[in-house]
Amino acid sequence: MSKKFWETLPQGSVVLEAGSSAKFKTGAWRSMRPKWTEENCIQCMFCWIYCPDMAVKVTAEGKRENFDYDYCKGCGICALECPGKKGKKAIVMEEEGK
Amino acid sequence: MGKIVAVTGNEACAQALKQINPDVCAAYPITPATDLMQRFSGFVNDGKVDTELVLVESEHSAMSACIGAAAAGGRVATATSSQGLALMWEMLYIAAGSRLPIIMPLVNRALSAPLNIHGDHSDGMGARDTGWIQIYSENAQEAYDNLIQSFRIAEHLDIRTPAMVCMDGFIVSHSIERVEYIDDADVKNFVGKFQAVHPLLDLDNPKSYGPLILTDLYHEYKRAQHEVMTKVPKVALEVAADFEKMTGRKYGLFETYRLEDAEIAIVVMSSAAGTTKDIIDEYRDKGIKAGLLKPRLFRPFPYLEIADALKHVKAIAVLDRADSFGGYGPLFMEISGAVMSMDTKPAMINKIFGLGGRDYLPDQAEQVLDELVKIAKTGKVENVKEYIGVRE
Ligand code: SF4
Ligand code: SF4
């Protein structure tokens, strides 16, 4: 007798594959998109600390890189917190798809 | 052969827990279950068990700690009553949905307001839909026996679902009765070694409990949970058969008393069944064909089996020690559900009794049986739902 689909689900909804949440591309929810302008960036890492996800990529040497848009939800916290250089923000929010 | 002792229901359940020696217990005191865990904590203190006893700040935390310990891979138990169970409410669903076989004696007690500490089934009935197995016990012996059997049922690899073992607050939890204890080694052997399924402490195989499951799969998980419950009666009967081999004491999904040829019957759970049996004997002596059905397994509810046992009865009174305000009593609703499948339907009445520990006395059983005799003759039911033993 072949099993019904719901009979094949792991007992108690336990997730048996470690780290599988990486497969869930939460960036798909985004309607606003942060844009990074490197020349205004002072490498303070505020955006990295404040990001509620892990959508600000940093190199092994500790240098800020561009966003990871697979997981960035577009909340805008990084843009709000970014001090930028001489009054010019290094992060601005733009409407997605524009 | 075990030992015959004079103990309370709480004492008997504490003894069962001692003999089973769970890995973890997390509990918070609440009348009338306090004394059960207090006695057990004495066993912990005296080194009679290896249990890690987690003293928490509320029942919500108690059940949360039990869930964590069970997910980690331990055999886990707790105990509670009334408001304590109510405070556990959200965690009860999580324990069941995560399929963690936690065992919990529930010493049935009324719910506030007004504040009351005595026995009725309001607490257990409120937790009817949480996904826990519910077993109701008539006396201290049954509470002890059911508690031991519940570990085998809940932990069965086809089931893995938490179970509440219920007994009436004070009437059973605090009354001294004759109880036959099973030898420690026999209990240990009967319950067997705990087998962890997907334990979090298996660090080589990391896993997550409690994921977010939305519209794509939630419905399927709940369908699967119902399916598991449908397998419980078979397992409960297998466990009961093994238990009978060990003790000679027989358990089914429900108990019948002089029901085989009965024309009228009372359906009632827990301690009130004892009083009712005495009055049924009196009516039998008078030539009245009265019988009783006492559900043991309330969740899952054995509808078809109960319908079969009641199929020849003309008039049935279902006695509920809990109420659904604006509805029929919870047990009456279940029996009505069972009756649905019958070709000839019996006349049925519902009596609410014993709320907040109000005594259920022989004359109340007599009053119900007299009414059933009349209904069986005329086939007429005047009022479906009424309160008995209420001061008027
Ligand atoms: S917009 Fe929000 S989610 Fe995206 S990088 Fe900035 S802080 Fe993180
Ligand atoms: S907060 Fe602004 S300035 Fe600071 S590292 Fe991020 S982008 Fe650069």
Side-chain angles (χ1 to χ4, degrees), chain A residues 34 51-52 55-56 67 72-78:
Chain A
C51 176
V56 177
F67 292 104
C72 165
K73 296 167 190 67
C75 67
I77 294 173
C78 55

Side-chain angles (χ1 to χ4, degrees), chain B residues 16 55 75 114 128 234 292:
Chain B
L55 301 176
R75 175 177 269 163
R128 181 191 69 180
K234 185 173 160 273
L292 169 136

